[in-house]
Amino acid sequence: MITIEVNGKRVEAEKGEMLLAALRRAGIHVPTLCNLSNLMPSGACRLCVVEVEGQRNLVPSCAFPVAEGMKVQTHSRRAVRARKTIIELLLADHPDDCLYCVRNRNCQLQSLAEELGVRERRYSGARHDYKVDTSSPSIVRDPAKCILCGRCVRMCEEVQGVSAIDFVGRGSSTRVGTAFEQGLNVSSCINCGQCIMVCPTGALREQSYIKEVLDAINDPERIAVVQHAPAVSVTLAEELGLRGGTDICGQMTAALRALGFQRVFDTAFTADLTIMEEGSELAHRVATGGVLPMFTSCSPGWIKFVETFYPECLPNLSTCKSPQQMMGAIIKSYFAQREGVDPSKIFVASIMPCTAKKFEAGRPEHGHDGLSDVDAVLTTRELARMIRMRGIDIQSLVPQGADTPFGERSTAGKLFGASGGVMEAAIRTAHFLLTGREMTNLKVQEVRGLDGVKEARVRIGDLELGVAVVSGLGNARRLLEEIRAGRSDLHFIEVMTCPGGCVGGGGQPIGADLEAVAGRMKALYLIDRDEPVRVSHRNEQVQRLYREFLGKPLSDKAHHLLHTHYVKREVIA
Amino acid sequence: MTAQIDQILRKHPEARRDSLIPILQEVQDAQGYLSREAVVKVGEFLSLPASKVYGVATFYNQFRFQPVGRYHIQLCRGTACHVKGSADVLDAVCRLLNITPGQTARDGLFSLEVVACIGACGLAPVININGEFFAGVTRDSVAEIVDSYRRKADPDGQDH
């Protein structure tokens, strides 16, 4: 520990750390636009400049190491004026259409302009004639609103290992773009939306399907059915300005009904169904010498990642559709049959923590008889927008339960929302399927938590399985390289595209730090701790679905409806 | 095309990412421009994503992404040419050919490249078309020059 002096007060700092880290720990607010926690500083935006005694120029605190006895002024007239000028220059070619912007009131550029008291346009720069890229089913990119902070580029490259976008051009014509500045839809983008999560402005946003959903709800000819993913009920509260890390599943269900959906189903039901299918698939592969390790297939960003970068690993992917797609498939078959309605009249909307789910819903190999399994996907953010638009006060709603026949869930299915949850649910059920007994302690501590890579050896009867849980595709890439190099001790690998799993998904509330993501995770584990049905194979309605309709796991009917295949993709079109 | 790229890459068996620019230069020397295939292949060879290769290549004026036209115009924007009005000439050429620097006209006849200084400041503003120099060009004279090349390509004027 060393001591530095900040604004006349003593502040403790760790040797070798950057000044910004010490300032933040001391509760001193220095704004940043390009800084990303856990990544090396890039020093691009210069907003974090401070005065350091003995330095002729202002220094960027994010990239300036602390030194014993250093004297720092964070809010001197010179530093604040420099920050204000930077914001004014960023605004010089900004579209200024805040009223129409999806990030209105949730924009770092806007709030810094406010904070620094920008009240007039001092600089007016030439505007670029940039086109909005709406080619992707998941993500919209509007380069005119981009301030070139580079966070999206670094997230895509350093965290996700995808590098679909990079800086293009030079000087005042620099912009962010894909290879050959093609649309995102033909780039190597895997639709995860993590770029949206780090964008300080409205330059990146989700492709919205609110209109399609409202049209379906208001169409008397159609039956609008909705499903909600496990990670949504523990994050919606944040997006509505309530306390983070609280589960509001009951109120959310009530709100979905108030919005006009005729049925509300819980995607955790098909998460339980996924465990039955995927667990059986794993047991089958182990027993018959099939391709191992088996990879989970619920995260659509990960699927496109394998298809694009590791096509030789396609046989390792479980053939199970994701819970979202399974739900769509059984709604348009079993549910339609049960209710005696034409499946083409059913509109399946889903509320997902994810932008890649929008892409997944449109995959041509999903669906049957010309009907998609899922018709429209909304993110947590879009659901919150609809709730506000309809003037629904979520806090005043009396909690309601989901509808039969797909409303029941085990807490194992709910755990799908956190990295490690699919693995934990699978281990619980695999143990029962292989030994006929429940595990004495259902909690699998090794696969819980925010670490990007978690590994465990699991004993089930006579069988010892090597399992790994990975979140963030950069971590997945490293593990795949190990496997490519000959590593063979793993049997089952859960991969979630987004760091922390779906609770940190690209459709979730923007601006969450790691602590907030941990809080969302905790909410899921509390549900698991407190409820009685904690294993997927005890979901009575799933068992009934098998009895009445599917037969048994991996039956022909299950294969037809619940499984899929994958395609090799070229890196760029 | 593919074989030519492979041949260039074979000359750099130990290459790492710091060889990106020299390799791109060799490819452009051989093919006149960087095709999509070249960008992807060089990227795969150096384990760099196509977006990064494209990003680096667009940083430098020397790289182009379309094949050069039958007549390649190099237009000098060095200091002396600038003082003598090369901005005006550039604007005229862009309008005449309906392209921007780095592009090739749709009929493939002309392509345009902006260069920093040709080293012929005494002739400013100067352009160079396939090795032939034109001195003291103006907005009007450059139109005549372009026309003379059009006539050269199509003496009977039947295509126009």
Side-chain angles (χ1 to χ4, degrees):
Chain A
M1 276 302 207
I2 58 173
T3 309
I4 60 174
E5 191 191 297
V6 182
N7 305 338
K9 292 198 182 103
R10 283 160 57 94
V11 167
E12 301 266 284
E14 276 168 47
K15 207 169 180 329
E17 76 176 337
M18 295 300 159
L19 183 51
L20 180 66
L23 297 175
R24 290 217 164 138
R25 208 169 335 99
I28 298 163
H29 170 69
V30 174
T32 56
L33 276 174
C34 71
N35 190 60
L36 274 179
S37 54
N38 302 328
L39 294 187
M40 289 285 287
S42 69
C45 76
R46 315 311 273 190
L47 269 175
C48 67
V49 287
V50 295
E51 271 193 85
V52 172
E53 201 177 286
Q55 294 288 323
R56 201 160 53 90
N57 292 324
L58 295 170
V59 301
S61 57
C62 71
F64 199 81
V66 292
E68 179 67 47
M70 181 187 257
K71 287 188 175 152
V72 183
Q73 288 291 332
T74 59
H75 287 74
S76 64
R77 181 135 196 242
R78 190 171 163 218
V80 172
R81 187 179 276 174
R83 285 181 207 138
K84 185 174 175 186
T85 304
I86 291 165
I87 295 296
E88 288 178 304
L89 287 168
L90 286 174
L91 290 172
D93 68 343
H94 198 77
D96 274 355
D97 62 349
C98 297
L99 279 177
Y100 303 93
C101 183
V102 71
R103 291 291 293 274
N104 191 16
R105 298 188 303 145
N106 184 20
C107 167
Q108 283 175 285
L109 185 61
Q110 189 185 50
S111 49
L112 280 169
E114 212 281 321
E115 195 177 303
L116 292 163
V118 177
R119 286 286 171 271
E120 60 184 332
R121 179 181 283 284
R122 278 210 293 155
Y123 309 105
S124 198
R127 302 289 165 93
H128 293 275
D129 181 23
Y130 291 136
K131 302 256 179 312
V132 181
D133 178 6
T134 57
S135 67
S136 159
S138 300
I139 296 165
V140 176
R141 226 169 52 79
D142 184 353
K145 291 181 182 173
C146 176
I147 58 166
L148 301 174
C149 67
R151 282 200 213 163
C152 55
V153 171
R154 302 188 69 202
M155 175 55 83
C156 195
E157 178 177 350
E158 295 174 41
V159 178
Q160 296 297 59
V162 171
S163 293
I165 46 174
D166 207 328
F167 287 107
V168 175
R170 180 182 50 182
S172 62
S173 68
T174 306
R175 63 245 177 234
V176 170
T178 61
F180 295 100
E181 295 173 83
Q182 295 284 291
L184 274 177
N185 62 333
V186 293
S187 76
S188 55
C189 171
I190 50 120
N191 307 305
C192 71
Q194 287 298 310
C195 52
I196 299 173
M197 304 305 280
V198 294
C199 183
T201 72
L204 286 155
R205 55 183 187 265
E206 68 282 324
Q207 183 78 269
S208 181
Y209 296 86
I210 290 180
K211 184 182 176 299
E212 285 77 355
V213 171
L214 288 176
D215 285 350
I217 287 175
N218 290 305
D219 181 352
E221 296 292 308
R222 283 193 283 184
I223 304 166
V225 172
V226 69
Q227 58 170 320
H228 57 84
V232 175
S233 70
V234 295
T235 59
L236 180 65
E238 271 170 68
E239 188 66 13
L240 292 170
L242 307 174
R243 200 163 63 87
T246 37
D247 178 57
I248 53 166
C249 195
Q251 283 101 327
M252 179 177 75
T253 303
L256 289 167
R257 291 211 178 92
L259 284 170
F261 289 108
Q262 298 190 30
R263 292 287 198 291
V264 181
F265 294 134
D266 190 337
T267 313
F269 170 88
T270 33
D272 283 334
L273 185 62
T274 302
I275 289 297
M276 298 305 292
E277 291 291 324
E278 203 163 284
S280 305
E281 185 185 356
L282 178 64
H284 182 73
R285 286 189 189 215
V286 171
T288 61
V291 180
L292 291 171
M294 187 172 90
F295 302 143
T296 57
S297 57
C298 354
S299 186
W302 157 241
I303 298 293
K304 190 167 180 238
F305 182 84
V306 178
E307 289 177 323
T308 308
F309 301 106
Y310 292 89
E312 75 274 16
C313 291
L314 290 177
N316 296 75
L317 283 173
S318 162
T319 59
C320 288
K321 285 182 186 173
S322 71
Q324 157 174 282
Q325 297 300 116
M326 283 197 187
M327 178 63 89
I330 56 171
I331 287 173
K332 292 195 180 177
S333 55
Y334 174 70
F335 172 76
Q337 208 175 310
R338 204 179 114 118
E339 300 282 310
V341 294
D342 177 356
S344 69
K345 297 271 183 269
I346 301 177
F347 184 93
V348 177
S350 38
I351 315 296
M352 293 285 141
C354 182
T355 47
K357 288 280 166 195
K358 294 170 186 272
F359 167 79
E360 181 185 55
R363 289 183 73 112
E365 63 275 16
H366 290 205
H368 298 279
D369 310 318
L371 298 178
S372 312
D373 290 337
V374 172
D375 296 288
V377 178
L378 304 181
T379 58
T380 310
R381 297 190 291 270
E382 289 166 274
L383 173 62
R385 249 170 258 154
M386 279 179 73
I387 289 174
R388 284 194 294 261
M389 200 188 289
R390 289 286 301 267
I392 296 168
D393 173 17
I394 196 114
Q395 281 178 294
S396 70
L397 293 177
V398 178
Q400 297 179 359
D403 286 299
T404 46
F406 311 134
E408 185 183 328
R409 59 149 178 80
S410 75
T411 62
K414 193 73 179 166
L415 289 187
F416 270 55
S419 157
V422 178
M423 183 59 72
E424 190 162 345
I427 290 171
R428 291 175 186 179
T429 290
H431 189 278
F432 178 78
L433 291 179
L434 291 168
T435 67
R437 287 177 291 112
E438 298 292 352
M439 291 164 75
T440 38
N441 180 9
L442 290 173
K443 187 171 173 182
V444 188
Q445 187 61 44
E446 300 95 311
V447 299
R448 294 190 176 191
L450 271 176
D451 289 343
V453 183
K454 296 167 274 189
E455 292 191 20
R457 306 292 304 175
V458 181
R459 271 212 93 77
I460 302 177
D462 301 331
L463 199 63
E464 193 186 88
L465 289 179
V467 302
V469 170
V470 183
S471 68
L473 291 180
N475 293 323
R477 195 185 266 277
R478 281 183 280 279
L479 186 63
L480 286 173
E481 289 299 332
E482 284 176 27
I483 292 167
R484 212 181 231 179
R487 185 172 175 189
S488 61
D489 61 325
L490 294 172
H491 301 90
F492 189 35
I493 301 173
E494 177 204 297
V495 182
M496 290 297 154
T497 304
C498 297
C502 308
V503 284
Q508 296 283 35
I510 287 169
D513 52 11
L514 279 180
E515 211 175 307
V517 174
R520 299 166 180 177
M521 246 182 192
K522 197 173 158 213
L524 289 174
Y525 287 118
L526 280 180
I527 294 169
D528 181 55
R529 192 194 67 190
D530 295 339
E531 287 185 23
V533 183
R534 297 178 62 194
V535 291
S536 298
H537 51 277
R538 297 267 176 246
N539 183 326
E540 283 307 323
Q541 286 180 354
V542 166
Q543 294 307 325
R544 184 171 161 201
L545 178 67
Y546 277 115
R547 274 198 310 277
E548 289 184 5
F549 188 64
L550 292 169
K552 56 183 196 332
L554 307 185
S555 69
D556 281 352
K557 196 159 207 168
H559 257 289
H560 178 64
L561 287 170
L562 309 181
H563 291 253
T564 184
H565 60 273
Y566 309 107
V567 289
K568 180 184 187 312
R569 290 174 194 272
E570 294 301 326
V571 176
I572 69 159
Chain B
M1 290 290 264
T2 311
Q4 202 174 30
I5 299 168
D6 287 336
Q7 204 186 343
I8 291 169
L9 296 179
R10 269 199 299 278
K11 286 196 287 177
H12 301 267
E14 302 291 316
R16 287 150 56 133
R17 57 192 293 160
D18 53 357
S19 304
L20 174 60
I21 291 170
I23 291 177
L24 290 178
Q25 284 170 328
E26 273 185 62
V27 173
Q28 177 154 305
D29 281 346
Q31 310 200 319
Y33 74 112
L34 300 176
S35 63
R36 281 179 194 217
E37 188 197 6
V39 167
V40 173
K41 275 196 109 101
V42 172
E44 281 172 357
F45 183 71
L46 296 173
S47 300
L48 287 171
S51 62
K52 189 151 291 288
V53 178
Y54 181 75
V56 168
T58 54
F59 186 89
Y60 299 98
N61 273 343
Q62 62 176 296
F63 293 115
R64 45 186 303 121
F65 304 92
Q66 290 177 348
V68 291
R70 190 158 146 198
Y71 303 115
H72 184 57
I73 305 174
Q74 286 187 317
L75 188 147
C76 184
R77 285 286 286 129
T79 312
C81 288
H82 174 72
V83 170
K84 293 286 216 167
S86 64
D88 221 23
V89 179
L90 176 61
D91 180 64
V93 175
C94 290
R95 283 169 196 274
L96 274 170
L97 302 176
N98 199 19
I99 55 175
T100 57
Q103 290 185 330
T104 301
R106 281 183 109 165
D107 59 7
L109 210 51
F110 292 98
S111 51
L112 175 62
E113 180 187 0
V114 164
V115 291
C117 181
I118 299 185
C121 306
L123 307 176
V126 63
I127 64 169
N128 166 7
I129 305 180
N130 288 6
E132 196 177 339
F133 282 78
F134 296 86
V137 288
T138 61
R139 189 176 265 281
D140 294 334
S141 74
V142 81
E144 284 166 34
I145 295 166
V146 164
D147 259 356
S148 72
Y149 277 90
R150 280 217 171 103
R151 281 196 298 277
K152 215 169 172 176
D154 181 21
D156 305 329
Q158 282 169 357
D159 281 0
H160 296 289

